[in-house]
């Protein structure tokens, strides 16, 4: 294929640091001529863009296919949560209804009215649902995909959008087979049969190379729920890919590790904006009590990793264990309210050592490494944040393991 084009290089840069090559060059020039204060406005602008970038995922299909239940599963909410999408066996949605992620409010799942319902015929549906606003479409069915589903897929494709076929409530099919035949033990074979049948019918409807995911919104660890999320992640680009991963429910250690990798790429920006350390005498350092950027960064890590009180409460309820019992499985002062006192209790002073140029080259863009390894205050703050993220990641992994084992 030859060398990468300039647009590919920009995309690659943005995927790791949100900055174009031109912006990185400006950071270098500004820093060398006017110091760290001169680069802060651009970094603040990029963080604001990151926080304001919206991801809109539409969930559509006929009435009663489990759209609302799926949306709740993607947001990590039980149906009893006040913020949960309403679910039921009758049509509960009469217009597109958006549901924000409980902690990342720029991520929205949209429950679209069931196509083919009394109010929304197929033709009217395509014109009224404002298809262009959505980044991805998930078409859900509980049986074979119908003609209305095919029409939707073709319209979505015409708009240049990505769509995914999801066969929901798959556990109900398997339970029915077990009831009919108590000796039924061919689950994988039956799943393959259902998948092949769906794919074949879609091909007959001229849907080329369709992918069908068999899921249970109640048993997310089984079937194709994780595979669907991995496919969505692959198809999203740059910032939207990152915020999608950060919004995923913590179903496994693998997801926690993906979140860590993304958050680790945020650290240098927060370190640049977090100001001066109070004092830095070797390991006996102190922090200024009003270091809001540092605290905000750690709160962001905490929420993204599902360690804020609200996320832990939801996980505890799902696993059927007391919240305090779940918290007791980890030993870190970074649960609950984050303060400079809590950060100091971690004794990060012992870990605050000069980071090598090689480490910067690996963890950051080489240009950024050449800039910021010259600034001792940045280096100290960078290492504090890196140590805090490592601590929170380890805690999140423990919490997920305990909750999954209990569940």
């Amino acid at each position: 294929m030859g060398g990468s084009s300039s647009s590919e290089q920009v995309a690659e840069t943005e995927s790791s640091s949100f900055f174009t090559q031109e912006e990185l060059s400006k950071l270098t020039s500004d820093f060398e001529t006017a110091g760290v204060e001169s680069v802060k406005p651009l970094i603040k602008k990029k963080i604001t863009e990151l926080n304001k970038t919206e991801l809109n995922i539409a969930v559509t299909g006929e009435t009663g296919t489990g759209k609302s239940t799926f949306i709740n599963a993607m947001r990590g909410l039980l149906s009893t949560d006040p913020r949960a999408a309403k679910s039921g066996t009758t049509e509960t949605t009469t217009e597109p209804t958006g549901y924000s992620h409980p902690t990342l409010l720029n991520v929205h799942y949209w429950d679209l009215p069931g196509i083919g319902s009394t109010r929304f015929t197929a033709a009217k549906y395509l014109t009224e649902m404002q298809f262009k606003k959505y980044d991805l479409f998930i078409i859900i069915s509980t049986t074979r995909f119908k003609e209305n589903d095919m029409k939707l897929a073709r319209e979505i494709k015409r708009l240049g959008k990505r769509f995914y076929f999801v066969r929901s409530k798959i556990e109900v099919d398997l339970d029915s087979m077990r009831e009919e035949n108590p000796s039924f033990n061919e689950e994988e074979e039956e799943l393959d049969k259902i998948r092949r049948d769906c794919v074949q019918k879609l091909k007959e409807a001229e849907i080329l190379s369709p992918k069908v995911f068999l899921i249970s919104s109640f048993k997310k660890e089984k079937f194709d729920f994780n595979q669907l999320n991995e496919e969505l992640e692959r198809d999203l680009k740059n910032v939207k890919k990152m915020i999608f991963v950060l919004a995923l429910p913590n179903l496994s250690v693998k997801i926690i590790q993906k979140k860590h990798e993304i958050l680790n790429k945020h650290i240098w920006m927060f370190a640049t904006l977090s100001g001066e350390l109070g004092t830095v005498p070797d390991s006996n350092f102190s922090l200024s009590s009003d270091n809001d950027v540092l605290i905000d960064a750690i709160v962001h890590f905490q929420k993204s990793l599902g360690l804020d009180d609200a996320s832990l409460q939801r996980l505890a309820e799902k696993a059927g264990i007391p919240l305090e019992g779940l918290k007791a499985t980890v030993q870190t002062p970074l649960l609950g309210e984050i303060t400079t006192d809590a950060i100091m209790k971690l004794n990060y002073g012992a870990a605050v050592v000069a980071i090598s140029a090689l480490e910067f080259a690996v963890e950051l863009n080489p240009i950024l490494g050449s800039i910021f390894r010259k600034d001792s205050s940045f280096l100290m703050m960078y290492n504090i944040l890196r140590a805090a993220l490592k601590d929170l990641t380890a805690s999140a992994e423990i919490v997920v393991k305990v909750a999954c084992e209990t569940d």
Side-chain angles (χ1 to χ4, degrees):
M1 293 291 290
S4 300
S5 67
S6 59
S7 61
E8 289 172 333
Q9 289 170 346
V10 168
E12 182 179 349
T13 300
E14 288 178 338
S15 72
S16 60
S17 64
F18 326 122
F19 288 79
T20 64
Q21 199 65 39
E22 181 181 351
E23 288 169 331
L24 289 173
S25 297
K26 177 173 171 51
L27 283 176
T28 304
S29 174
D30 289 350
F31 181 85
E32 290 177 347
T33 57
V36 69
E37 288 299 320
S38 66
V39 303
K40 288 185 178 182
L42 178 56
I43 293 174
K44 286 180 181 178
K45 176 176 176 287
K46 299 301 285 190
I47 290 178
T48 298
E49 288 177 4
L50 173 64
N51 292 333
K52 289 187 175 180
T53 297
E54 289 196 352
L55 175 63
N56 293 291
I57 297 177
V59 182
T60 185
E62 292 192 340
T63 302
T65 54
K67 300 189 302 291
S68 299
T69 305
F70 172 77
I71 288 172
N72 292 336
M74 290 296 292
R75 298 161 69 222
L77 299 181
L78 297 173
S79 61
T80 53
D81 192 292
R83 293 163 297 179
K86 294 180 181 179
S87 59
T89 55
T90 59
E91 181 63 54
T92 56
T93 304
T94 58
E95 60 184 21
T97 305
Y99 295 93
S100 298
H101 188 273
T103 53
L104 297 178
L105 301 181
N106 50 334
V107 177
H108 310 282
Y109 287 90
W110 292 84
D111 187 351
L112 303 190
I115 186 171
S117 64
T118 302
R119 179 180 173 187
F120 291 99
T121 62
K124 190 176 181 182
Y125 190 94
L126 298 178
T127 60
E128 291 197 6
M129 293 302 104
Q130 301 177 5
F131 274 21
K132 291 183 179 180
K133 74 181 289 183
Y134 307 112
D135 296 289
L136 302 171
F137 291 80
I138 295 171
I139 303 172
I140 294 185
S141 176
T142 53
T143 55
R144 292 179 178 178
F145 293 97
K146 309 289 180 61
E147 179 57 31
N148 282 335
D149 300 319
M150 314 300 184
K151 289 179 180 178
L152 274 178
R154 286 191 284 267
E155 179 66 11
I156 294 167
K157 183 179 180 181
R158 186 185 68 79
L159 293 173
K161 303 281 188 173
R162 291 188 178 274
F163 58 90
Y164 310 83
F165 290 103
V166 169
R167 175 77 152 70
S168 66
K169 303 182 182 181
I170 201 68
E171 79 282 8
V172 175
D173 295 277
L174 296 178
D175 288 344
S176 296
M177 292 174 189
R178 292 189 186 95
E179 290 227 1
E180 293 178 5
N181 180 11
S183 62
F184 173 76
N185 61 0
E186 300 174 345
E187 182 173 298
E188 287 301 321
E189 183 178 329
E190 189 59 36
L191 291 174
D192 286 341
K193 180 179 177 182
I194 293 172
R195 189 180 289 106
R196 287 196 304 270
D197 182 64
C198 289
V199 168
Q200 180 59 36
K201 295 297 186 296
L202 291 169
K203 286 182 175 179
E204 290 173 3
E206 300 181 349
I207 305 295
L208 301 179
S209 304
K211 288 187 178 180
V212 176
F213 299 89
L214 313 182
I215 71 160
S216 165
S217 294
F218 296 107
K219 298 180 180 180
K220 297 185 287 293
E221 74 284 355
K222 297 191 67 178
F223 315 120
D224 295 341
F225 196 92
N226 284 327
Q227 290 90 325
L228 170 64
N229 284 330
E230 288 173 358
E231 187 78 8
L232 299 179
E233 177 190 343
R234 277 192 294 270
D235 288 343
L236 288 166
K237 304 299 180 187
N238 302 326
V239 173
K240 293 197 176 188
K241 177 195 288 279
M242 294 180 186
I243 62 176
F244 174 76
V245 173
L246 293 179
L248 284 173
N250 289 343
L251 302 177
S252 66
V253 169
K254 182 179 179 180
I255 291 175
I256 297 294
Q257 292 170 345
K258 284 184 177 182
K259 292 184 177 184
H260 172 89
E261 182 180 347
I262 290 170
L263 294 170
N264 198 52
K265 293 171 182 175
H266 296 189
I267 288 177
W268 74 270
M269 293 189 289
F270 291 118
T272 305
L273 299 180
S274 56
E276 297 292 330
L277 288 165
T279 60
V280 194
D282 298 323
S283 62
N284 298 315
F285 73 100
S286 66
L287 294 170
S288 60
S289 60
D290 60 347
N291 201 316
D292 293 338
V293 175
L294 178 65
I295 292 173
D296 287 348
I298 295 178
V299 168
H300 173 60
F301 298 162
Q302 185 192 67
K303 288 184 176 181
S304 297
L305 292 167
L307 292 176
D308 57 295
D309 281 347
S311 296
L312 288 171
Q313 180 66 55
R314 290 191 294 270
L315 189 59
E317 290 175 1
K318 180 179 180 298
I321 58 180
L323 173 61
E324 293 308 315
L326 189 60
K327 284 185 173 183
T329 62
V330 297
Q331 298 297 321
T332 174
L334 295 183
L335 296 186
E337 183 182 4
I338 301 299
T339 64
T340 51
D341 286 342
I343 299 169
M344 292 295 293
K345 285 179 183 177
L346 289 167
N347 193 27
Y348 284 159
V352 178
V353 295
I355 188 170
S356 71
L358 178 59
E359 286 178 286
F360 259 120
V362 172
E363 295 190 8
L364 301 177
N365 183 289
I367 294 176
L368 300 175
S370 68
I371 295 174
F372 292 112
R373 69 170 179 264
K374 303 172 185 177
D375 187 285
S376 61
S377 178
F378 167 84
L379 293 174
M380 298 298 179
M381 201 62 71
Y382 182 89
N383 276 306
I384 291 170
L385 286 168
R386 192 170 63 158
L389 177 58
K390 181 178 179 181
D391 189 25
L392 285 168
T393 300
S395 297
E397 290 178 356
I398 292 171
V399 165
V400 167
K401 288 177 183 177
V402 171
C404 289
E405 288 173 2
T406 305
D407 191 37

